[in-house]
Amino acid sequence: MNNKKRSTFSGGFGFVLAAAGSAVGLGNIWRFPYLAAKYGGGIFLLFYILLVVTFGFSLMIAENAIGRKTGKSGLCAFRELSKKWGFIGIIATLIPMIIQPYYNVIGGWVIEYATKYVTGNHQLLAQDNFFTDMLASPQRLLIYQFIFSAITTFVILRGVQKGVEKFSTILMPVLIVLAIIVAVYSITLPGAMMGVKYFFVPDFSNFSIQGVLAAMGQMFYSLSLAMGIMIAYGSYLPKDSNLEKNVGRIELFDTAIAILAGLMIVPAVFAFSGGDQSALGKGPSLMFVTLPKVFESMGMATVIGSVFFILVLLAALTSSISIMEAIVSSLCDRFGWDRNKTTICAGIGSFLFGIPPILGYNVWDKATLGGMTILDMMDFATNSILMPICALLTCIFVAYVIGVNSIHDEVRISSAFKRQKLFDIMIKYVAPVFIVAILISSILEALG
Ligand code: PHE
């Protein structure tokens, strides 16, 4: 991503592919189901969808428009529009720097699972202790995390991310078909219907402020918002391609995959736990513990498990490529650094910073905060604190510094802005007030 030769996507479709490649990843398949399971199922889903179509929509429009208007990546775009507010770009760039290391760790888990399936070890994976044994071994975690970081770095170094994106988007329909098959199977397991109900029907007695905060963080994370990524992508969007329509497509696609992943996993948790509700609170391990059991009971576990985890790996890679690209392109744009050297430093840096979250599961397992491991803490710091702050600042910036009109004008270059009223109300009033209220009440809850 070099300013002098800033190429554009070959029309809206290329943009949707790349943005969807960034958006669809571990957030949809690994993170969404465990949060939905933990925070009350239907009520979490309801808040999540509400947030996506209102706030997520508005923020994604704003970020894409800022990017297209300035032709700059996250770190520089704010600065270009207002020197005083350039610091938002710095916060936005810090976020992917914290996410990348732990994303690599989870990507490493996926590689380990994929390898074990391909080599015919499916029974091992379906055992209860496989996951905990894996976490207990820093060596194993390090090797797989290294492989994942190395692939990401290699793709960026060779500049082949477009190729990877195309390749994986061609395979995404296969992932969707496979996910539908597994989801249908999960739903029909004995005892699973209770899980379907739990997942879809909001039970207001499960409402919690923490759940709403988690839904908001997940919305940012899953849509790759509030960290400069969509700004960088917007800068590659041709002026004649319909911004509003493309944003709608990305949201629909991303949310559909998250729901599908939820349907693969949540009902199966009910089916396999024999009514033990505590299984729902498992957190980051949920997908890795539940899915192998589903595959095992389906039969053909080697084939299904291999194909599934390889596809998830691809989806994770396109996301991690976008995270590293955001870091590298921002630094190169801003400081004029050499792209290859910056990429290698980013690769080494993300590998090294991935070591503490790995050790947090074994050698440093006493280093917890309110029950959170180091990986959980990094995830919490970005998704529940820094991203809401960055989103809040972006809203204030758009509403009161550059003015909503400048975004309207940018959107209108290519089409009418149909949901302009919604956009204005969200950015000016609802989103800022909502974020502040949620942040304050969750701090109060944590203290009390
Ligand atoms: N949106 C990606 C996912 O759902 C994760 C991601 C986070 C991508 C941050 C880019 C930046 O997996």
Side-chain angles (χ1 to χ4, degrees):
M1 293 204 184
N2 180 325
N3 252 336
K4 283 166 247 141
K5 287 190 283 170
R6 189 164 284 269
S7 56
T8 53
F9 288 112
S10 55
F13 193 60
F15 166 80
V16 172
L17 287 194
S22 170
V24 176
L26 294 170
N28 310 60
I29 300 156
W30 156 73
R31 202 170 184 278
F32 179 83
Y34 90 68
L35 289 178
K38 182 169 171 189
Y39 291 109
I43 189 85
F44 181 86
L45 182 63
L46 177 69
F47 271 98
Y48 182 76
I49 292 177
L50 278 177
L51 283 165
V52 168
V53 296
T54 55
F55 186 16
F57 166 79
S58 308
L59 198 60
M60 196 181 284
I61 291 270
E63 291 195 11
N64 282 159
I66 290 175
R68 192 166 77 172
K69 194 180 174 67
T70 57
K72 294 250 151 65
S73 54
L75 185 56
C76 300
F78 289 101
R79 214 165 152 265
E80 166 105 356
L81 294 170
S82 155
K83 270 245 147 38
K84 221 171 99 199
W85 291 79
F87 72 93
I88 306 179
I90 299 177
I91 304 179
T93 311
L94 263 178
I95 296 172
M97 290 183 178
I98 305 174
I99 292 183
Q100 179 94 66
Y102 84 81
Y103 206 85
N104 291 346
V105 175
I106 321 276
W109 300 351
V110 176
I111 296 186
E112 169 142 22
Y113 272 63
T115 329
K116 288 275 180 321
Y117 270 114
V118 171
T119 51
N121 288 303
H122 59 93
Q123 276 158 343
L124 202 67
L125 296 169
Q127 281 166 13
D128 272 334
N129 55 352
F130 180 83
F131 188 78
T132 35
D133 287 352
M134 178 181 85
L135 292 190
S137 160
Q139 293 87 341
R140 272 162 76 183
L141 296 177
L142 268 175
I143 291 171
Y144 288 108
Q145 183 243 11
F146 176 79
I147 298 174
F148 191 87
S149 324
I151 301 176
T152 308
T153 314
F154 177 79
V155 170
I156 305 247
L157 266 184
R158 298 297 306 266
V160 289
Q161 49 268 54
K162 288 242 172 68
V164 175
E165 238 136 45
K166 270 229 180 74
F167 179 64
S168 70
T169 349
I170 294 168
L171 286 175
M172 277 312 107
V174 183
L175 176 67
I176 295 176
V177 172
L178 188 64
I180 293 176
I181 296 172
V182 178
V184 169
Y185 179 82
S186 281
I187 295 170
T188 51
L189 283 166
M193 258 313 143
M194 260 169 66
V196 177
K197 198 169 149 229
Y198 177 78
F199 184 59
F200 278 124
V201 184
D203 174 353
F204 287 87
S205 66
N206 283 334
F207 175 87
S208 72
I209 288 291
Q210 300 302 343
V212 181
L213 178 69
M216 183 167 73
Q218 172 64 15
M219 184 268 290
F220 297 138
Y221 186 87
S222 189
L223 293 171
S224 305
L225 288 174
M227 59 195 111
I229 289 183
M230 286 300 157
I231 296 185
Y233 280 3
S235 74
Y236 295 99
L237 188 64
K239 289 280 184 196
D240 60 357
S241 119
N242 188 325
L243 229 163
E244 189 176 6
K245 201 151 128 209
N246 286 330
V247 165
R249 283 190 190 142
I250 297 163
E251 286 190 322
L252 191 69
F253 193 57
D254 190 73
T255 308
I257 296 193
I259 292 179
L260 211 51
L263 275 179
M264 290 169 67
I265 295 169
V266 178
V269 173
F270 277 78
F272 289 114
S273 66
D276 172 16
Q277 298 269 330
S278 71
L280 288 171
K282 268 216 157 38
S285 68
L286 194 68
M287 155 181 146
F288 292 93
V289 173
T290 308
L291 279 185
K293 292 192 180 145
V294 178
F295 296 161
E296 201 59 31
S297 86
M298 283 176 88
M300 299 198 308
T302 299
V303 178
I304 297 180
S306 306
V307 176
F308 180 82
F309 276 99
I310 289 174
L311 292 171
V312 171
L313 179 60
L314 269 176
L317 272 175
T318 53
S319 298
S320 90
I321 290 167
S322 80
I323 306 178
M324 191 178 277
E325 180 64 43
I327 301 171
V328 171
S329 68
S330 279
L331 292 175
C332 293
D333 264 8
R334 175 73 178 82
F335 300 109
W337 291 349
D338 177 73
R339 211 186 129 85
N340 284 349
K341 283 186 196 144
T342 313
T343 306
I344 291 174
C345 291
I348 296 174
S350 70
F351 171 71
L352 292 179
F353 282 105
I355 296 175
I358 284 180
L359 296 183
Y361 283 113
N362 34 70
V363 184
W364 291 348
D365 60 359
K366 298 283 171 312
T368 56
L369 200 74
M372 286 191 283
T373 63
I374 297 179
L375 188 141
D376 295 329
M377 284 182 229
M378 290 167 82
D379 185 82
F380 183 80
T382 50
N383 297 290
S384 298
I385 299 174
L386 288 175
M387 288 190 205
I389 291 176
C390 185
L392 174 67
L393 290 170
T394 308
C395 290
I396 296 173
F397 179 77
V398 169
Y400 306 106
V401 181
I402 59 171
V404 283
N405 284 336
S406 63
I407 303 288
H408 301 165
D409 293 345
E410 187 59 40
V411 175
R412 285 217 198 88
I413 292 178
S414 46
S415 67
F417 193 176
K418 288 197 201 117
R419 276 165 284 179
Q420 183 190 309
K421 270 242 159 57
L422 171 74
F423 174 84
D424 287 1
I425 296 173
M426 286 311 299
I427 294 283
K428 282 193 193 155
Y429 316 110
V430 181
V433 171
F434 183 80
I435 298 176
V436 171
I438 287 290
L439 279 176
I440 292 179
S441 52
S442 72
I443 291 170
L444 289 180
E445 201 161 312
L447 293 177

